[in-house]
């Protein structure tokens, strides 16, 4: 009997099954090339995207690439398996949706946000992250959960559609592959737009090679490979000097000011009180996001004077140093750093809190005033504008406010004066400034003050203020008593009070209904009438705390509000809110918030200043910083290694297919058997017979394994018409070996693809 290594007879001509097998192997090789180049391109783009973050999630990125590769295999296989058309399409859709779900989760998104009843919350958080990302500096090193997560979600947002386009089988596959390439290049370009790295020419050359591999590698012939390489190199040599010539500091297209969704409508406000019915629409528009250590009232403007009918802002604080109204020894614990990200708010009034001392804006300079108001210079607020404020915001205890000292500085006498309409004749009134002096201080004010107020329409309010002052030992007691009076007596929150000539007097003694403007305006007036420095502040209540972003508050148009600030010696300006808690606002806060905002009793309620809905200005994105970490070369290195391994495997499969195409069926079976025994550690020599191999296999792995050698022996030396071992016999040999040596060793001995 001839040895196992001997060739027997003339080789039979390859039949149709051999040609089909070669075609199948060619398709596998082409797909492996395509998969390898896709993963390399995706990793190249993803590695650059990771540059926009410090401490990028490297493990998550690698796992996302693995998921895309697995999904690509699934999509390709769905076009190779014989399935009904509708079933195949549903399977592909399911693969893409599953990839999207897993990609988002792998990138850090909590799965419950993907259920439909959480989409609204997800959209709100994502909006915050997008706005913050537009104006941050890169590489991002902050701790805002949703801002970082939004950057991480950029990876599946691009890689999932790129995977679907690249591997979706069927007609127009070439067009879809081109679109996939465009998506990956856009993803790479977005990373460069946010942070321009060094060695851009080298990166461009690497991108050129990857694009060439994507377009040509799966279909290029071996004999044409050298020419293709020379074409790519020549194109690179021509492109590099041209790129250097075209490079300039001023781009042809201002991509920094592009917006995906276009301009958005915004909301602007006129903060002076008007006390009429609320007629403007409140749609729940998000105006801004604030990051702070605790919730505060977000101040837009201070109304520092009463003109006889309502509270207004004057120019008295223009040119006054921002620190002039701080106490002599401010408590360092009451300085806070706040970060604001603008969404739908418009105008040039920069929002802050307390008494801001400095502001760092992404859009330009700002002017600070001593009353806590800030104004943007030469620009208006716009979507994505980001700025930080260091502000003095006292949150004192009751005892600290009571023991703050009785004698006020004369400077604060400007916060007790106001204009009142005094009767000077029959039906004739004249505006006269009312100066009551300072509470329990040497400054006694105008001796005629009592006569002025008695001859004004506000005499009943003055009498009420004096009665409450008689029950108060300290300025804090008076402020608390007025607040309690407005909260616990028969005053109702109503956004449609009647229009009156003297609205605050009518609010207290006739209508007894109103919203935040009436409550805050009346309280500030009564405090000033007895000499306690007070003013009306306008802006927004704290907003809604974001559960998945600790320290971030979402402020909407519902939250527009006004409240009272009262000055206490050795403390500073402290917030009080006399508006009842029954208002329809969305941002009611708990007792903890009431304490931290300086309100000693309760949470705020929201009315709203006059608003004006209009189209926003053109929105731009601030220039980002270009400092930071280098590209994630670990990822590029891993992908290059994987790419080389896949290419080597594909090349070996192709060579094996070509070599086996010239073999007869028994020669191919002999080769499979020889390779299997060698990988199992039992190599054969030229003197080993098929009968000996058959007995060895039966002894080591059972009769099922020996049947492969038996079929081969009968085909070569038995009666004519005996079948040669086929693919199913090869699989049976692998299964038989698996029961003895384990699945992995059996798979290595008899792999599914000829190597």
């Amino acid at each position: 009997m001839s040895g196992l290594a001997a060739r027997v007879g003339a080789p039979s001509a390859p039949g149709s099954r051999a040609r089909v097998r070669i075609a199948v192997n060619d398709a596998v090789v082409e797909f492996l090339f395509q998969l390898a180049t896709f993963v390399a391109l995706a990793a190249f783009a993803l590695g650059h995207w990771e540059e926009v973050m410090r401490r990028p999630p490297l493990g998550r990125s690698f796992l996302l690439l693995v998921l895309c590769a697995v999904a690509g295999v699934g999509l390709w296989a769905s076009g190779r398996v014989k399935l009904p058309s509708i079933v195949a399409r549903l399977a592909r859709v399911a693969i893409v949706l599953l990839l999207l779900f897993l990609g988002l989760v792998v990138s850090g998104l909590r799965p419950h946000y993907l259920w439909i009843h959480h989409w609204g919350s997800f959209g709100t958080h994502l909006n915050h992250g997008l706005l913050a990302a537009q104006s941050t500096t890169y590489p991002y090193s902050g701790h805002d959960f949703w801002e970082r997560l939004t950057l991480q979600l950029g990876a599946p947002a691009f890689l999932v559609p790129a995977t679907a386009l690249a591997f979706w089988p069927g007609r127009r596959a070439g067009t879809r592959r081109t679109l996939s390439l465009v998506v990956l290049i856009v993803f790479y370009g977005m990373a460069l737009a946010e942070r321009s790295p060094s060695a851009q020419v080298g990166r461009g050359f690497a991108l050129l090679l990857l694009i060439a591999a994507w377009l040509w590698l799966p279909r290029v012939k071996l004999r044409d490979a050298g020419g293709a390489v020379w074409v790519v190199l020549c194109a690179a040599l021509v492109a590099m000097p041209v790129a250097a010539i075209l490079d300039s500091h001023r781009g042809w297209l201002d991509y920094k000011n592009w917006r995906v969704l276009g301009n958005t409508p915004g909301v602007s406000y006129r903060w002076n009180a008007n006390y009429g019915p609320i007629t403007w629409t409140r749609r729940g528009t998000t105006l801004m996001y604030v990051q702070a250590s605790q919730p505060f009232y977000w101040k837009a403007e201070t109304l520092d004077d009463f003109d006889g009918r309502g509270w207004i802002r004057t120019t008295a604080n223009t040119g006054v140093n921002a620190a002039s109204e701080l106490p002599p020894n401010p408590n360092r614990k009451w300085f806070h750093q706040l970060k604001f990200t603008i969404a739908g708010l418009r105008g040039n009034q920069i929002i802050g809190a307390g008494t801001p001392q400095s502001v760092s804006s992404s859009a330009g300079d700002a002017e600070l005033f001593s009353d806590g108001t800030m104004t943007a210079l030469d620009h208006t607020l716009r979507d994505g504008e980001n700025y930080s404020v260091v502000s003095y915001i006292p949150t004192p205890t009751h005892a600290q406010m009571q023991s703050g000292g009785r004698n006020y500085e004369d400077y604060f006498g400007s916060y007790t004066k106001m204009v009142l309409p005094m009767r000077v004749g029959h039906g004739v009134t004249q505006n006269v400034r009312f100066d009551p002096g300072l509470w329990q201080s040497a400054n006694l004010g105008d001796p005629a003050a009592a006569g002025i107020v008695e001859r004004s329409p506000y005499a009943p309010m003055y009498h009420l203020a004096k009665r409450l002052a008689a029950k108060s030992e300290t300025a804090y007691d008076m402020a608390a008593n007025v607040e309690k009076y407005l909260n616990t007596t028969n005053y109702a929150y109503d956004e449609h009070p009647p229009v009156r000539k003297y609205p605050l007097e009518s609010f207290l003694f006739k209508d007894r209904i109103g919203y935040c403007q009436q409550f805050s305006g009346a309280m500030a007036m009564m405090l000033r009438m007895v000499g306690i420095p007070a003013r009306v502040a306008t802006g927004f209540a704290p907003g809604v705390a974001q559960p998945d972003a600790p320290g971030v508050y979402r402020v909407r148009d519902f939250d527009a509000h006004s409240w009272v600030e009262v000055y206490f010696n050795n403390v500073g300006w402290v917030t009080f809110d006399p508006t009842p808690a029954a208002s329809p606002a969305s941002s009611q806060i708990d007792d903890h918030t009431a304490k931290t905002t300086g309100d000693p009793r309760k949470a705020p309620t929201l009315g709203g200043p006059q608003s004006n809905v209009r189209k926003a200005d053109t929105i731009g994105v601030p220039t980002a910083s270009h400092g930071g970490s280098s590209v994630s070369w670990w990822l590029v290195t891993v992908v290059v290694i994987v790419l080389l391994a896949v290419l080597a495997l594909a090349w070996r499969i192709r060579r094996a297919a070509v070599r086996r195409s010239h073999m007869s069926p028994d020669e191919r079976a002999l080769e499979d058997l020889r390779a299997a025994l060698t990988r199992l550690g039992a190599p054969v020599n030229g003197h080993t017979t098929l009968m000996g191999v058959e007995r060895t296999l039966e002894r080591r792995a059972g009769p099922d394994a020996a049947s492969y050698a038996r079929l081969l022996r009968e085909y070569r030396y038995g009666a004519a018409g005996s079948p040669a071992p086929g693919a199913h016999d090869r699989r049976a040999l692998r299964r038989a070996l698996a029961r003895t040596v384990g699945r992995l060793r059996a798979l290595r001995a008899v792999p599914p693809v000829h190597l």
Side-chain angles (χ1 to χ4, degrees), residues 165 168-179:
L165 289 168
W168 194 283
R171 294 181 299 174
R172 299 182 180 177
T175 301
R176 286 192 290 270
R177 277 172 46 82
T178 302
L179 291 176

Side-chain angles (χ1 to χ4, degrees), residues 271-275 297 301 303 306 310-311 461 482-483 486-487 493 504 507-508 514-528 534-539 561-566 575-580 602 605 607-609:
W271 294 107
N272 283 346
N274 65 0
Y275 306 107
Y297 286 72
E301 191 168 84
L303 308 182
F306 184 77
W311 287 90
M461 183 188 295
V482 173
E483 186 184 52
L486 293 174
N487 269 276
Y493 183 91
L504 296 182
F507 161 70
L508 284 176
Y515 49 96
C516 61
Q517 289 185 355
Q518 282 80 5
F519 285 92
S520 60
M523 178 175 176
M525 279 194 72
M526 285 193 282
L527 293 178
R528 284 200 176 191
R535 62 195 185 190
V536 174
T538 59
H561 192 45
S562 66
W563 58 94
V564 178
E565 291 183 336
V566 184
T575 297
F576 284 78
D577 191 349
T579 309
K602 57 169 183 52
T605 54

